[in-house]
Amino acid sequence: MGRAYVDVVNNVAVLGHSHPAIEAAVSLQLRLLNANSRFLYEPMVHFAEALAARFPPPLDTVFLVSTGSEANELALRLARVATGREDVLAVRGGYHGWTGATDAITTSLLDNPRALATRPAWVHPVEAPNPYRGRFRGPDAGARYADDVRATLTRLAAEGRGPAAFIAEPLFGNAGGVVLPDGYLAAVYAAVHAAGGLAIADEVQTGYARLGHHQWAFEQQGVVPDVVTVAKAAGNGMAVGAVITTRAIAEAFRTEGSFFSSVGGSPVACAAGLAVLETIDREGLRANARNVGAHLRAGLEAVASRHPIVGAVHGMGLYLGVELVRDRETLEPAADEALAICERMRELGVVIQPTGDGNNVLKVKPPLCFTRASADFVVGALDRTLAEGW
Ligand SMILES: Cc1ncc(COP(=O)(O)O)c(C=O)c1O
């Protein structure tokens, strides 16, 4: 038998690796039929209905695709057709995919250091609402960050333009699991709606019960988006993605003809998608994310209290981030240290990686079957690494 590692980064394998429920669902469907999704099959209907049932009204209509990039690409098209506009506001530092339009709205410096200098004219990056290292850090931070969105909308209006959409992760995944300041999305969605635009929530990383307290991260902000995108966890590693929206927005899209993506929502993809949803419920993975996530967070906070290099522990449930800084006042990112610490953790048996524009936040987003024993192991390995050196 080979060496065992604790995996704390693979949010795609939401149920855990090699889960028998996925293997069984996929192999059964493969023996029956797997074909072009231009045709309707039972697994497609079952998956779409099960997915829609997990969203609040009026989010009741589902488009099936294969990846997060495709889902966001379609979300942008839906918004553009429904509003008849082109412009999109996107939060700075976000990652939304690699395809043409999703790359255009991506300004993660880690993924593209030249991003902010090279955006097309229809993309309007807005200030990242990061209450740890951004400009505003107090209880009114949410409202103050929303000011930048309102200012962008005012500038667009002065130019005779209006927004098609605002897109953001409802928990700042790419920054390392930073919870958005209270009231931020409520204020932003209100402003965008008042300007005639739509709100898109990119739940590709943050959805699927990962936050424990919530099924979807937008619930943490007390808002309901117009369009939600999911992928990654949606298939536990199989290529499954979806866009969930309102009937009215989907109807508006009819002017574009029919929508299909040959293998997006194939019968096998849908069998996997349905098995993921059912297994999360059956195995109580949302409660596990809440309970083990709280235990893990407490352990990481105890590590932070012993080692000044840990500037903050971000996130909730099983979407956490350990932000490493050289100085707790200046918050200078400890990027080289983060890489070296990850290497040392790997030697100790923990698979972990840095993220964020400063490449200094250890991302902690393990499969939702994570145990307290694994959490203790990870906390012990980090504590040992920081105490002994790396
Ligand atoms: C928040 C977010 N949106 C979209 C995507 C793109 O998804 P995919 O890689 O499936 O195209 C990613 C991928 O990392 C992501 O993290």
Side-chain angles (χ1 to χ4, degrees):
M1 191 166 144
R3 174 159 185 209
Y5 289 86
V6 174
D7 175 3
V8 296
V9 290
N10 269 294
N11 55 348
V12 172
V14 64
L15 308 178
H17 297 283
S18 323
H19 198 289
I22 300 298
E23 194 269 338
V26 165
S27 54
L28 174 63
Q29 189 59 46
L30 272 176
R31 274 181 268 135
L32 294 170
L33 181 76
N34 197 27
N36 189 323
S37 63
R38 250 188 194 280
F39 303 94
L40 283 176
Y41 304 100
E42 268 191 351
M44 224 185 250
V45 178
H46 290 159
F47 173 48
E49 285 181 346
L51 191 56
R54 285 161 173 78
F55 283 88
L59 296 169
D60 60 2
T61 307
V62 175
F63 292 86
L64 298 174
V65 293
S66 301
T67 65
S69 299
E70 269 188 74
N72 284 330
E73 192 84 31
L74 177 59
L76 293 176
R77 274 189 70 194
L78 289 172
R80 285 172 159 173
V81 172
T83 62
R85 294 154 167 192
E86 284 290 301
D87 292 278
V88 176
L89 281 65
V91 167
R92 266 193 209 130
Y95 179 85
H96 297 292
W98 63 268
T99 56
T102 61
D103 175 63
I105 56 169
T106 290
T107 48
S108 152
L109 299 182
L110 183 61
D111 296 290
N112 176 1
R114 295 192 318 123
L116 280 173
T118 57
R119 293 311 84 200
W122 56 267
V123 177
H124 307 280
V126 295
E127 188 163 5
N130 185 329
Y132 176 65
R133 60 170 54 251
R135 277 196 301 157
F136 309 119
R137 300 178 188 176
D140 62 345
R144 300 190 72 185
Y145 282 116
D147 283 344
D148 193 46
V149 172
R150 283 188 282 262
T152 305
L153 294 171
T154 304
R155 181 172 51 75
L156 282 178
E159 294 167 8
R161 298 152 79 175
F166 163 87
I167 183 166
E169 287 187 277
L171 176 132
F172 210 169
N174 210 51
V178 177
V179 177
L180 301 184
D182 284 349
Y184 175 72
L185 281 187
V188 168
Y189 281 15
V192 170
H193 285 152
L198 300 183
I200 303 173
D202 179 338
E203 293 269 4
V204 167
Q205 289 215 60
T206 55
Y208 274 79
R210 176 156 293 281
L211 302 195
H213 300 267
H214 310 282
Q215 180 78 14
W216 311 106
F218 63 76
E219 293 164 350
Q220 190 276 331
Q221 285 277 302
V223 294
V224 179
D226 303 294
V227 184
V228 181
T229 57
V230 300
K232 289 196 193 268
N236 206 61
M238 298 291 293
V240 183
V243 179
I244 303 90
T245 188
T246 67
R247 173 64 47 150
I249 292 169
E251 288 293 342
F253 197 61
R254 279 188 192 279
T255 54
E256 299 284 290
S258 61
F259 171 80
F260 83 103
S261 158
S262 296
V263 295
S266 71
V268 163
C270 290
L274 184 60
V276 167
L277 291 172
E278 290 176 347
T279 306
I280 287 176
D281 289 353
R282 193 176 58 250
E283 296 188 353
L285 295 185
R286 180 165 152 189
N288 194 61
R290 188 170 63 235
N291 298 335
V292 176
H295 179 72
L296 177 55
R297 195 190 162 99
L300 294 172
E301 278 170 353
V303 171
S305 72
R306 286 190 285 275
H307 305 281
I309 192 172
V310 180
V313 179
H314 301 301
M316 67 187 329
L318 283 173
Y319 205 131
L320 301 173
V322 180
E323 178 138 8
L324 303 179
V325 293
R326 293 193 179 138
D327 181 313
R328 283 188 175 177
E329 289 300 313
T330 65
L331 306 185
E332 185 188 348
D336 296 342
E337 295 86 335
L339 266 183
I341 288 166
C342 289
E343 273 305 296
R344 178 64 187 140
M345 298 268 289
R346 186 185 52 76
E347 288 169 5
L348 295 177
V350 176
V351 179
I352 192 163
Q353 284 178 334
T355 187
D357 275 352
N359 211 13
N360 66 317
V361 189
L362 307 184
K363 50 185 170 187
V364 178
K365 44 183 187 175
L368 298 188
C369 58
F370 212 59
T371 60
R372 289 168 83 91
S374 290
D376 292 341
F377 184 80
V378 170
V379 168
L382 181 61
D383 204 22
R384 179 173 162 191
T385 302
L386 298 184
E388 291 177 356
W390 48 87

